[in-house]
Amino acid sequence: MTASNTILTDGFGRKHNYLRISLLEKCNLRCTYCMPADGIALSPKASLMTADEIFAIAETFVKNGVDKIRLTGGEPLLRKDFPEIVSKLSELGISLSMTTNGILVDRHIEVLREFKVQKINLSLDTLVASKFASITLRNQFEKVIDNLHLLLNHDFQVKVNVVLIKGFNDNEIVDFVKLTQFLPISVRFIEFMPFAGNEWDRSKMVSQEEILSLVGTQFSSEEMLKLEDEKNFTSRNYKIKGFQGDFGIISSITNPFCDSCNRIRLTADGKIKNCLFSNSETDLLTAFRNGESIANLISESIQNKKKVRAGMSTVNEINDPTKHFDNRSMIAIGG
């Protein structure tokens, strides 16, 4: 192992080559599982990373082994300097991707193409316009659908992220799977996870077992093919025989994938989170602005990473609100 890889390898031998950078905390939707009903206190603009700071901090990670960067938010396309950020990061020679709610994609399609941001995760929790309005508190369903097709028409690789909440959209699981018959997309069903202010309750979760059972009511075991898990996978993937696309299940609660985790998160205010479930953070931006090296801080954060879900090894521990009530809201962490 080279010294450059050492600081991104944790105590369990996991090498972290995937950095997710949140560009801002703002969003043009108000999804209830992501943002508390009364909103969040936004970080002052001066405390957010600038485009130059994003590039410089990302460059440190890349020099130490990161070869994949995903831009998240909030809604990353709300950053007025988004083209500048993407332009700078494209110089690093890494795989660059993005998670978006899709509303502003048409305004930035040429920038995404120019800088080869070809892998897009698009958040879409329902195929029913009225339900979309109820979960997002905005009437933007048609816009998102139009931009989904726009991405596909321009040959982007699109994954559709669906956060499942029992009693809200679990009755659409089969509809989403059927969508893959005609569209070359990967639908990914995501278990509802606990964050500050989202009123998480285990009873609202839809487990991997339940998802597969529902799909199994429509498709036989011969039709439903299990795909090989990718290295460092988060999603266990399946495909219906003869369909263009596929579907996967991200089961962070009931069936975690921590053993192969290679991801690090950088919040919009420049703090590193070594696990989505962790409420501990390491401030890189302040050190960077003070002219200090951030490599040791990165190494310390990685070394403090727990083996499973920030130390919550059982579902019962996750059920305990004292374990995660002081974690950030999802919108302030980055999707």
Side-chain angles (χ1 to χ4, degrees), residues 15 93 96 136 170 200 230 321:
K15 298 179 182 180
L96 195 54
T136 67
D170 52 329
W200 183 85
E230 300 174 352

Side-chain angles (χ1 to χ4, degrees), residues 1 15 22 77 97 317 333:
M1 183 187 300
K15 298 179 182 180
S22 175
L77 295 179
S97 58
E317 285 181 290
I333 296 173

Side-chain angles (χ1 to χ4, degrees), residues 222-238:
E222 289 77 18
E223 292 175 301
M224 189 164 59
L225 310 175
K226 174 69 175 70
L227 302 179
E228 184 177 350
D229 291 331
E230 300 174 352
K231 182 182 179 182
N232 306 120
F233 72 93
T234 58
S235 175
R236 294 173 173 88
N237 298 323
Y238 299 81

Side-chain angles (χ1 to χ4, degrees), residues 138-274:
R138 299 291 186 271
N139 292 306
Q140 295 283 0
F141 178 75
E142 295 297 335
K143 185 70 170 178
V144 175
I145 295 298
D146 287 346
N147 279 335
L148 167 60
H149 287 286
L150 179 65
L151 289 168
L152 294 176
N153 290 339
H154 284 89
D155 298 321
F156 285 82
Q157 298 177 45
V158 180
K159 294 180 179 178
V160 175
N161 288 346
V162 185
V163 175
L164 288 176
I165 302 175
K166 191 166 290 185
F168 172 70
N169 59 356
D170 52 329
N171 63 340
E172 295 186 65
I173 289 172
V174 171
D175 293 333
F176 271 107
V177 172
K178 287 181 177 179
L179 202 62
T180 69
Q181 179 175 359
F182 306 106
L183 298 178
I185 60 175
S186 179
V187 172
R188 308 196 310 169
F189 298 114
I190 303 173
E191 286 183 341
F192 185 35
M193 293 180 283
F195 298 101
N198 74 349
E199 299 181 1
W200 183 85
D201 187 289
R202 185 177 177 180
S203 66
K204 297 178 182 178
M205 273 181 25
V206 185
S207 69
Q208 174 176 292
E209 182 180 0
E210 291 172 294
I211 294 167
L212 293 176
S213 177
L214 282 167
V215 177
T217 64
Q218 295 291 316
F219 302 100
S220 68
S221 56
E222 289 77 18
E223 292 175 301
M224 189 164 59
L225 310 175
K226 174 69 175 70
L227 302 179
E228 184 177 350
D229 291 331
E230 300 174 352
K231 182 182 179 182
N232 306 120
F233 72 93
T234 58
S235 175
R236 294 173 173 88
N237 298 323
Y238 299 81
K239 184 180 182 71
I240 304 302
K241 191 173 182 179
F243 282 20
Q244 289 191 51
D246 53 55
F247 71 96
I249 303 168
I250 299 177
S251 50
S252 305
I253 305 294
T254 63
N255 196 10
F257 35 82
C258 302
D259 286 349
S260 62
C261 183
N262 67 333
R263 289 166 299 285
I264 323 157
R265 292 172 182 270
L266 184 64
T267 63
D269 57 348
K271 295 179 173 63
I272 182 176
K273 290 179 71 76
N274 61 24

Side-chain angles (χ1 to χ4, degrees), residues 49-113:
M49 295 183 291
T50 66
D52 286 336
E53 289 168 340
I54 290 169
F55 173 78
I57 293 174
E59 187 176 32
T60 300
F61 280 97
V62 171
K63 287 179 177 177
N64 286 282
V66 162
D67 57 15
K68 297 170 61 179
I69 292 179
R70 174 172 295 278
L71 302 178
T72 70
E75 171 50 48
L77 295 179
L78 283 174
R79 279 276 301 232
K80 293 180 180 178
D81 56 356
F82 178 80
E84 179 186 354
I85 292 169
V86 175
S87 173
K88 288 177 180 293
L89 292 177
S90 69
E91 299 172 6
L92 294 174
I94 42 85
S95 170
L96 195 54
S97 58
M98 181 182 68
T99 297
T100 176
N101 61 32
I103 294 172
L104 300 175
V105 159
D106 54 315
R107 297 187 193 177
H108 295 85
I109 193 79
E110 294 306 324
V111 170
L112 297 173
R113 294 177 68 189

